[in-house]
Amino acid sequence: MFDGFMSRILASADKMRILAVDGSDIQIETNPKDKTSHISTSIDKKSFNLLHLNALYDLEEHVYTDAIIQAAKSQNEHGALNEMVDRSEIPKALVIADRGYESYNDMAHIQEKGWFFLIRIKDGRNGIKMGLELPRRNEFDLDVSLKLTRKQTNDVKKLLKDKNHYRYIASSATFDFLPSHSKKSEQTRFYEINFRIVRFEITPGNYETILTSLDVNKYPPKELKRLYALRWGIETSFRDLKYTVGMLNFHSKKVMCIHQEIYAHLIIYNFSEMITSHVAISKKKRLYTYKANFPWQFMCADYSFMKSDITRIGSHNFKESDSHQTGQTLYTETVRKGILWLPI
């Protein structure tokens, strides 16, 4: 039902969607028998069970476009991201990710999809940055074209000395676009991945490094800073999902049923954001930009959702007049002046 609910929202082929990817732990009913999710701590503390929600979140439409739920002990954020990217029907998108997604495999999946990526990486000596020859200055914007390979023949070792163009990927490292093992007699295979590595100052004396496949002419460092700052939207959405929508308390004890409840919470969250996004906000000369207060909008959207024909919600094309009327009517029931707005 979650997929059907989102299919019509994601139908636009012209716009590049800006998606954030991240994960969040969800505590569920304690069950020591479920070894995949049960976490044992020290003797003086209680044990507990966790699920891990992996999500793609549209930072402009404020809706979840996809989600994968994993047990705590088998969670794999890289695998979840790759699965969501591969199966997505969105034709064009930018994926913004934090340092936990620093991976050639993740970058390759996004590149193969025809999407773009913007990933913050470790600014120290570890990770992808470590193996590159970079300018010796605080800020830079460097184009890199790397050919990845699994083989280490004598000829390949000579190529690997050119650190900004060749990179060896160990057989133990996950990379889906090269065979994990090959015979010496077989021809050396390479996979080419193209990106920019950009380092910029965020506050006086503090710097961040990002990898991106966005065009340098359209997306200079200043624009990359602005785009990456948008990523915080998925963090606040997790907060609203848990504390406002109520994804902290579940009716079920069975994990399968809890999965259903999680997807139900995602649907009602998206529904409330869809309704509010079409409500007209009067433009006045104010010090701050105003938006709807999410707890109020959720309460009203929840009421509207319960009154609607659930089987038709996914196929309904919401117009501005529909949403404005729905929102204003519902908010007027609780607040005399209609919708309650709060400054951002």
Side-chain angles (χ1 to χ4, degrees):
M1 183 176 174
F2 175 78
D3 294 336
F5 185 82
M6 295 306 300
S7 60
R8 291 182 67 89
I9 303 174
L10 306 176
S12 174
D14 299 328
K15 179 181 178 182
M16 182 173 77
R17 296 189 174 274
I18 302 177
L19 308 177
V21 61
D22 208 346
S24 182
D25 289 332
I26 303 169
Q27 187 170 346
I28 60 175
E29 180 77 14
T30 302
N31 179 12
K33 295 182 179 180
D34 184 0
K35 302 301 181 181
T36 61
S37 65
H38 186 253
I39 308 296
S40 298
T41 58
S42 57
I43 299 175
D44 59 333
K45 294 183 180 179
K46 293 183 179 179
S47 60
F48 53 91
N49 289 64
L50 285 180
L51 296 178
H52 191 74
L53 174 65
N54 303 275
L56 277 177
Y57 182 77
D58 192 315
L59 294 167
E60 293 184 316
E61 301 297 330
H62 307 290
V63 294
Y64 289 94
T65 64
D66 202 354
I68 291 177
I69 305 166
Q70 299 170 328
K73 289 186 177 179
S74 60
Q75 74 178 57
N76 182 348
E77 290 189 331
H78 295 286
L81 169 60
N82 297 333
E83 183 179 343
M84 290 188 289
V85 168
D86 293 346
R87 74 188 186 188
S88 176
E89 297 180 1
I90 300 174
K92 188 177 181 182
L94 166 66
V95 177
I96 302 177
D98 207 358
R99 286 174 292 194
Y101 295 90
E102 180 180 348
S103 162
Y104 286 122
N105 196 44
D106 294 353
M107 295 160 63
H109 273 270
I110 296 170
Q111 178 176 275
E112 289 293 317
K113 186 71 175 181
W115 289 6
F116 302 91
F117 55 81
L118 195 163
I119 305 172
R120 182 168 71 132
I121 64 173
K122 300 178 183 71
D123 194 49
R125 296 182 178 181
N126 297 322
I128 291 175
K129 183 180 177 182
M130 178 183 64
L132 298 173
E133 293 180 348
L134 302 173
R136 294 185 178 181
R137 54 179 184 268
N138 290 331
E139 295 183 306
F140 52 79
D141 188 344
L142 180 68
D143 286 315
V144 177
S145 179
L146 273 183
K147 292 183 178 179
L148 310 178
T149 184
R150 297 261 197 201
K151 297 193 77 172
Q152 277 191 310
T153 62
N154 290 332
D155 291 337
V156 171
K157 288 179 180 179
K158 293 178 182 178
L159 294 174
L160 292 173
K161 293 179 181 179
D162 186 355
K163 295 183 178 181
N164 284 11
H165 290 92
Y166 293 91
R167 179 64 57 87
Y168 170 71
I169 303 294
S171 59
S172 58
T174 301
F175 191 78
D176 299 327
F177 302 95
L178 288 173
S180 58
H181 296 88
S182 60
K183 297 179 180 179
K184 289 184 178 181
S185 58
E186 293 179 352
Q187 185 178 2
T188 302
R189 291 183 57 182
F190 293 95
Y191 181 88
E192 187 171 356
I193 188 166
N194 302 292
F195 56 90
R196 294 158 56 199
I197 180 166
V198 186
R199 191 172 192 259
F200 46 73
E201 189 176 38
I202 51 172
T203 58
N206 295 312
Y207 297 85
E208 290 291 357
T209 306
I210 61 98
L211 303 178
T212 184
S213 54
L214 292 169
D215 182 74
V216 64
N217 296 316
K218 294 182 179 179
Y219 299 92
K222 184 177 180 180
E223 179 64 10
L224 297 179
K225 286 173 63 176
R226 185 193 70 83
L227 286 171
Y228 185 78
L230 297 177
R231 196 202 68 84
W232 192 249
I234 193 172
E235 303 288 355
T236 57
S237 75
F238 283 144
R239 179 197 64 195
D240 291 334
L241 191 61
K242 290 181 177 181
Y243 294 96
T244 302
V245 181
M247 204 178 68
L248 290 175
N249 303 297
F250 300 98
H251 299 86
S252 307
K253 292 186 178 181
K254 292 183 178 180
V255 174
M256 180 184 68
C257 296
I258 294 174
H259 281 210
Q260 295 178 1
E261 289 194 51
I262 292 172
Y263 282 112
H265 284 102
L266 291 171
I267 290 172
I268 191 61
Y269 176 95
N270 284 356
F271 181 74
S272 63
E273 287 287 4
M274 287 164 54
I275 290 290
T276 308
S277 67
H278 289 82
V279 177
I281 303 177
S282 59
K283 295 183 178 180
K284 298 180 181 179
K285 291 183 178 180
R286 299 187 176 105
L287 180 61
Y288 301 102
T289 301
Y290 276 59
K291 71 171 185 178
N293 178 18
F294 185 81
W296 282 94
Q297 76 188 46
F298 164 71
M299 181 179 66
C300 299
D302 185 42
Y303 176 82
S304 175
F305 189 86
M306 293 301 108
K307 293 291 184 179
S308 302
D309 182 354
I310 296 178
T311 61
R312 296 178 60 191
I313 288 175
S315 61
H316 183 70
N317 287 324
F318 291 103
K319 299 178 181 178
E320 183 174 343
S321 57
D322 296 337
S323 301
H324 179 71
Q325 183 177 5
T326 302
Q328 190 165 2
T329 301
L330 291 171
Y331 275 99
T332 305
E333 293 181 5
T334 52
V335 182
R336 178 181 295 181
K337 293 184 179 181
I339 302 175
L340 176 65
W341 305 104
L342 290 180
I344 296 176

